[in-house]
Amino acid sequence: MSASPLPPSGAIASRTPISRSSLLGISDLSSGIRNVHLLSCKTRRSRRYGRCRTIRNVASDKRVEKETEDEGIPAVSTSFSLDSASVASNIQYHAEFTPSFSPKQFSLPKAYLATARSVRGALIRNWNKTYEHYEKANVKQAYYLSMEFLQGRALLNAIGNLELTGTYAEALKKLGHDLENVAGREPDAALGNGGLGRLASCFLDSLATLDYPAWGYGLRYKYGLFHQNITKDGQEEAAESWLEMGNPWEIVRHDVSFPIKFYGKVTEGLDGKKHWVGGEDIAAVAYDVPIPGYKTKTTINLRLWSTKVPVQDFDLQAFNAGQHTKATEAQINAEKICYVLYPGDDSTEGKILRLKQQYTLCSASLQDIIARFEKRSGHAVNWEEFPSKVAVQMNDTHPTLCIPELLRILIDVKGLSWEEAWKITQRTVAYTNHTVLPEALEKWSLEIMQKLLPRHVEIIERIDEELIGTLVTEYGTKDLESLKKKISQMRILENYPLPSAIRQLFDKSKGDAKKDDLKEKEQEKSDAKLPKTVRMANLCVVVGHAVNGVAEIHSDIVKNEVFNDFYKLWPEKFQNKTNGVTPRRWIRFCNPDLSEIITRWLGTEEWVLKTEKLAELRKFADNEEFQAQWVAAKRNNKLKLVSYIKEKTGYVVSPDAMFDIQVKRIHEYKRQLLNILGIIYRYKKMKEMSVEERKLKFVPRVCIIGGKAFATYVQAKRIVKLITDVGAVINHDPDIGDLLKVIFIPNYNVSVAEMLIPASELSQHISTAGMEASGTSNMKFAMNGCVLIGTLDGANVEIREEVGEDNFFLFGARAHEIAGLRKERAEGKFKPDRRFEEAKEFIRSGAFGKYDYSPLLGSLEGNEGYGRGDYFLVGKDFPSYIECQDQVDAAYANQKRWTKMSIMNTAGSFKFSSDRTIHEYAKDIWGILPARPS
């Protein structure tokens, strides 16, 4: 839809006159005219932190409120019943008095920024009331640390949660704009990449909606991961520009800044205390983003850290001498920490930068958490109460340095003993595992960590030593070989010398046995050359009081395979918390047509908060009127996607075809390669048939694939290239026409997902069984009435149970079979299916261009070796996959049956709300209770 035309002048001044009192109809708490602060307490100076940090309390200052009233500026309305005229006036106010553009024209970008600032003003009032309540009640608070928060656009979500969508739409209409067009000017916040960050953002929405006291902590990446461009050469990366016009949702907290140290050395004072001195010092500055709950005043906080150095570190003398690089070196070294999400780490410099990012997140967040705890405690700080007021959740291994950092602060700064600090840390931190892939279970070079974080390595060495002592005590010394193997597998420091007492124990055993140990000594020499690493996941499991997987099958793999030794030692630590997605963003707001139908037939909108009510849709699954409305909503969403595809790719697709979608990070284990090989085989068979034969055999399909390949992941980028090459051929083949189209959606992100998912009819979740921790896009697709094709992997298992086996297309090997199948492959016993060989040969024939796909196809061949042996079992599952796709065609040909399957998927998706997941975390791991502000 195009924007409504502006009045002839296009100038805000030409509109209805605005009185001073109406300019702040929602209150301009965000404009800076009134100095409203999130937190407050007395200013205090910490000798350790070496700076003055002011923490201000919730904005309840009566003197300020009285002055506001005296000046005729009304306070923010906290009722959700604002009229469109006052909203329009407030938007105009922001356009005029907090401008980012020239004053004359009220263009779409200007309208977006003014609208966002208007909404932020409404959020801040609730935000401050929320934290006033938390401060007064001194509640236990959860802190969710994540390297990613993939939020998507904020405007529609915020006004939806505030129940102001209609009001803002009407207000913007008065000002000559359409809400949808204004919202479309918002860039996606480039703070994440995939499911990890999307999950974190869903959790924040649920925490706020359910009134749980919590904050999120992350980094404020200037350039994000990257903006993906698709050219004739495949994927090309460019910097994200999401901050180019500023971020109207964030509030920089210049008074919330903490020192971060790197390098230096550890000294011991006369009092026996350790001191980390010298090195490189930077500052982490807080940027706060309010996160509103749905139909509640609770508005929680996402605090993002940005890095800098003081102005004094700019070497003016060097600059004036022409040494410009030297003059700005400190600034650049500090600022680049928050430039890019997941910077390439093939080089030593890249590894150091990633480790700096992780430590910055952990150190700044913990210093902030501790300062808040001390403030709430008053003069009498009882550190034993810390775990009863603070819960820290590490989202994957990236925030693992929270563990040694919390110990360092408690021991070196706060003066606690090791034993006291250890007990507090263990009771405070918990760990969520998100992967079983070995490369994703982070290991850091001990050498790099020793240089960058010398004090933390000392602390990790002690934890490692105490773990070894625990293992010796637990398992005894009767079977030393078994004990040695267990220590090697479980310890935190890999390839690191054993403590002297333990080494002597093993040496004594060898001496008593009078064995010839020449061979063993040679092995020890060989081991000494292996790289010494810090196993971050092991550190999390050892110290965290809870370890959880994110789907039932994943949690079983975590317990029985990945961390089996730890599970046997501490079974009480291990839990499952199946992921979920917020039904607000992922159906209520992104799919309003379907949401309206659901509400009408259920007779209530309670399902948005109580998703178990979706199960009641099952009773309407065969109702013809209900089915007709359901199909109409789906078609309307497909028509929107048709327009989007033409705009972004130039291709024209038919809304009458099945929309078959796979969107996720490009990775070999997610098997986009299996998808495109299936498409290639389908296309080959079509070309071999007559027009009549192909129309009888195949239903029309638009195969849509999207996702980013990591910039240095060459094989994943080859897969992207293959998909685009195949699409370029098939989409221009007049013999095939609308029977098959292949579309690669560039720069897949949250906003694109909000367009694709409501329009989807079939969605592919086809990872190698046992390799996907959970997945969350599968939940979003099912919630929107999409039928899934997939393996028994991750949350697919539970989705299939809930939606019904008849409403899920299952294929492929099972997780328990994978190890045996790889063994068979290594032994040369695998015989590839002829159809699989046909698809590969069709690529080699040059049918899709002259690009050399030998390295990609070679990964599917041979029996073993690097880049060989089909590790992800594409060839093994290919026959089952294409046969399952035949079943899909047959089902889709019967539209009544397919529509029922679609309805049953939405009805069965109720379990997969992040509200349910958060209730489980709150009860079983964090020990927090809802705390709704009055």
Side-chain angles (χ1 to χ4, degrees), residues 587-588 591-605 607-608 613-614 616-617 620 623-637 784 899 902-903 906:
I587 182 168
R588 174 63 184 84
N591 200 344
D593 292 346
L594 190 63
S595 297
E596 184 181 340
I597 293 168
I598 292 170
T599 298
R600 186 187 314 133
W601 283 79
L602 294 180
T604 178
E605 203 179 37
W607 62 269
V608 181
K613 288 188 173 293
L614 290 173
E616 297 176 25
L617 294 174
F620 307 121
N623 184 291
E624 290 186 4
E625 183 183 357
F626 183 59
Q627 281 204 359
Q629 293 177 15
W630 194 272
V631 169
K634 182 65 73 174
R635 183 170 180 83
N636 191 35
N637 290 323
N784 282 270
T899 303
S902 172
I903 293 166
T906 298

Side-chain angles (χ1 to χ4, degrees), residues 187-239:
D188 275 39
L191 298 171
N193 176 33
L196 187 76
R198 189 55 244 155
L199 178 74
S201 293
C202 284
F203 279 6
L204 292 186
D205 179 88
S206 287
L207 285 162
T209 296
L210 301 174
D211 301 307
Y212 282 115
W215 276 23
Y217 280 107
L219 295 181
R220 182 179 179 267
Y221 304 106
K222 186 174 182 180
Y223 302 117
L225 182 73
F226 59 81
H227 181 97
Q228 181 191 54
N229 296 314
I230 299 299
T231 71
K232 62 180 179 60
D233 297 317
Q235 172 183 293
E236 292 184 356
E237 303 85 27

Side-chain angles (χ1 to χ4, degrees), residues 346-366:
D346 289 345
S347 65
T348 300
E349 291 78 9
K351 290 180 174 65
I352 291 171
L353 185 56
R354 279 210 191 188
L355 193 56
K356 280 185 171 184
Q357 287 184 331
Q358 294 185 5
Y359 179 62
T360 297
L361 170 64
C362 294
S363 181
S365 302
L366 282 171

